[in-house]
Amino acid sequence: MAFGDILYIIAMFLFTFLTFGIIKNYYKNKFDDKGRRIDMIEEEAPKD
């Protein structure tokens, strides 16, 4: 294999790894431990 082919394969592995890492962290921050969306949970109204 040529040197360019090796660099291309390394670049594809890095791109795949970084892409899945970004997607995983996005969804990990979007949901709580019970699988509910954090931005859709209604907060309790303060009691007077």
Side-chain angles (χ1 to χ4, degrees):
M1 283 199 301
F3 182 68
D5 292 341
I6 295 170
L7 284 179
Y8 179 76
I9 291 170
I10 291 171
M12 288 297 108
F13 276 117
L14 286 174
F15 176 76
T16 305
F17 179 74
L18 290 174
T19 302
F20 281 112
I22 290 169
I23 292 171
K24 183 183 83 168
N25 286 331
Y26 173 76
Y27 281 105
K28 189 169 117 181
N29 291 331
K30 196 82 149 156
F31 294 92
D32 64 1
D33 293 335
K34 296 180 182 178
R36 297 178 298 184
R37 282 184 58 139
I38 293 173
D39 58 346
M40 300 295 280
I41 297 174
E42 294 182 12
E43 296 179 9
E44 292 183 20
K47 296 184 181 182
D48 294 333

